Amino acid sequence: MKLGFGRSLLKALRAQKKIRKQIEKAVKATRGRTKRKTSRPPKPILVETTAFGSNPGRLVMKSFVPTRLPKNPALVVLLHGCHQTPESLDAAAGFSKLAKERGFVLLYPQQKRANNSQNCFNWFRPSAVARDRGEVRSIKQMIEHICERHRVDRSRIFVAGLSAGGAMTGALVANYPSLFAGAAIIAGMPFGSARDAMSALRAMKSGATPPLGGWGRPIAEISPEAKAWPAITIWQGTEDRVVKPVNALACVAQWLEVQGIAESSGRLEEKPWGRLQSWKMSGQLKVALYSVSNMGHGLPIKKRKSVTALRSGDPYVIPVEISAPAEMMRLWGLSRFRV
């Protein structure tokens, strides 16, 4: 009896050990599959398009198109600054999230380091910003391509840029004023303020020198036929050490002059975040200057309450008391999209 009981116990222990091994094997396999799934790189938010035109400026085209869009969506064009990429700007400022919520198409032209070692748009090179040449033509080709592909409402194309991208925004509006319904120049430079890298650096640090005939002349010369201009907002940090704030005043003077608006006709408002100066014609906003107190060089976004979210992840996207992206959405009429 004892011998039989011992054999039965041994047999049961062996069976238990076998079952335990099978369970361990199954758990390892499940963990392996989970690990393979989680280790896959996330699907990129921005998609690159390689064929969009002759691309004389040799730029890269990236875009974000929400899965749900109205029949004829708006288009927002965003131009990054030096040392930035579309991905770093988008992750910090959340424009793709806004595109999804508000139903617009998002276009991110991108500079190549082969064109500029600092990854800046070449806003200071006459060949890059002349009408239908260089980088401005490449960006216009991107706009045309995405408009046709996604049936964009051509009366609702908006453009914004930071730093070198802000200066390039001014160049795009100067060349193609009828293409845009609104523009935002953030820590940028007036159009025609430099002709090469050295003069660009001097102007950024010390302030650009007005050309003969005034700041409106470079734009009037390149678009003499223009009768209407999009509303332009200019954003500047009062503590900017990269682009001296006096350049924002030059931008204001430029766009007021080209539209024949007297500087004295503006309205000044003190805000919790700084000062807002605005100029209107027939009740419509034409030019506005957002001077953000205690802000350095960058794009202002609204501070979050969370302590862990005080920094944006991009040194040129700065949490302050006002959100430039949110204000752009308001001014451009890009409200939340409902089916």
Side-chain angles (χ1 to χ4, degrees):
M1 291 293 292
K2 288 184 178 179
L3 183 62
F5 176 78
R7 284 177 178 173
S8 298
L9 182 60
L10 182 62
K11 189 176 181 180
L13 289 171
R14 284 175 177 171
Q16 195 177 37
K17 186 177 181 182
K18 185 177 180 180
I19 292 169
R20 188 171 66 247
K21 284 184 177 180
Q22 288 175 342
I23 292 171
E24 287 174 353
K25 187 177 180 181
V27 170
K28 285 181 180 178
T30 303
R31 285 176 178 170
R33 286 195 297 271
T34 305
K35 189 175 181 180
R36 284 194 295 273
K37 286 180 181 178
T38 57
S39 62
R40 289 177 184 172
K43 187 178 179 181
I45 293 175
L46 306 182
V47 177
E48 182 175 341
T49 300
T50 54
F52 58 85
S54 59
N55 192 16
R58 301 182 300 279
L59 302 179
V60 177
M61 175 181 175
K62 291 182 178 177
S63 61
F64 173 74
V65 182
T67 53
R68 292 169 57 254
L69 282 172
K71 185 178 179 181
N72 298 110
L75 171 64
V76 174
V77 184
L78 290 171
L79 303 171
H80 64 80
C82 302
H83 308 292
Q84 279 186 317
T85 64
E87 287 80 6
S88 70
L89 176 56
D90 189 76
F95 280 104
S96 58
K97 183 181 178 182
L98 289 170
K100 193 183 296 184
E101 292 174 351
R102 296 163 189 265
F104 61 84
V105 178
L106 191 57
L107 170 63
Y108 274 107
Q110 181 176 357
Q111 183 60 282
K112 291 180 181 177
R113 291 201 181 276
N115 299 335
N116 186 293
S117 61
Q118 306 301 312
N119 225 33
C120 311
F121 290 104
N122 291 303
W123 59 272
F124 47 83
R125 291 182 182 170
S127 61
V129 296
R131 180 178 290 185
D132 292 333
R133 291 181 63 190
E135 292 178 14
V136 293
R137 186 177 182 188
S138 289
I139 296 169
K140 186 171 185 287
Q141 288 176 344
M142 295 178 196
I143 293 170
E144 292 295 335
H145 178 85
I146 210 162
C147 282
E148 291 176 10
R149 189 169 182 180
H150 299 288
R151 299 178 181 177
V152 166
D153 180 351
R154 290 176 179 267
S155 69
R156 294 196 301 152
I157 301 175
F158 307 95
V159 60
L162 169 62
S163 191
M168 186 58 78
T169 294
L172 283 165
V173 178
N175 279 283
Y176 309 112
S178 62
L179 186 60
F180 302 103
I185 299 170
I186 305 154
M189 298 290 294
F191 179 70
S193 56
R195 297 191 61 83
D196 53 37
M198 291 302 294
S199 60
L201 286 171
R202 283 196 301 270
M204 288 163 61
K205 295 291 184 184
S206 304
T209 303
L212 293 174
W215 277 118
R217 183 178 175 184
I219 298 177
E221 287 179 345
I222 203 168
S223 294
E225 76 290 347
K227 298 292 188 292
W229 301 88
I232 295 176
T233 59
I234 295 153
W235 296 76
Q236 183 71 46
T238 60
E239 302 301 318
D240 195 332
R241 299 289 182 264
V242 178
V243 173
K244 195 170 183 179
V246 69
N247 289 300
L249 300 178
C251 285
V252 169
Q254 181 164 68
W255 292 105
L256 289 177
E257 189 175 321
V258 80
Q259 296 182 77
I261 302 172
E263 187 175 347
S264 58
S265 66
R267 179 187 179 188
L268 174 63
E269 300 173 76
E270 297 293 337
K271 300 286 187 178
W273 46 263
R275 305 176 78 187
L276 172 61
Q277 292 174 272
S278 56
W279 291 262
K280 294 182 178 181
M281 288 182 68
S282 303
Q284 291 188 330
L285 181 69
K286 292 298 180 181
V287 179
L289 172 61
Y290 292 75
S291 298
V292 185
S293 300
N294 305 314
M295 190 183 82
H297 185 69
L299 167 75
I301 59 170
K302 187 75 173 178
K303 282 182 181 177
R304 298 177 186 174
K305 293 181 180 179
S306 170
V307 176
T308 58
L310 290 177
R311 305 190 76 172
S312 69
D314 183 314
Y316 304 109
V317 177
I318 305 174
V320 289
E321 297 299 327
I322 184 173
S323 168
E327 183 71 352
M328 290 176 209
M329 298 299 105
R330 184 186 71 82
L331 292 172
W332 296 344
L334 297 174
S335 57
R336 288 183 179 271
F337 170 57
R338 293 178 177 84
V339 180

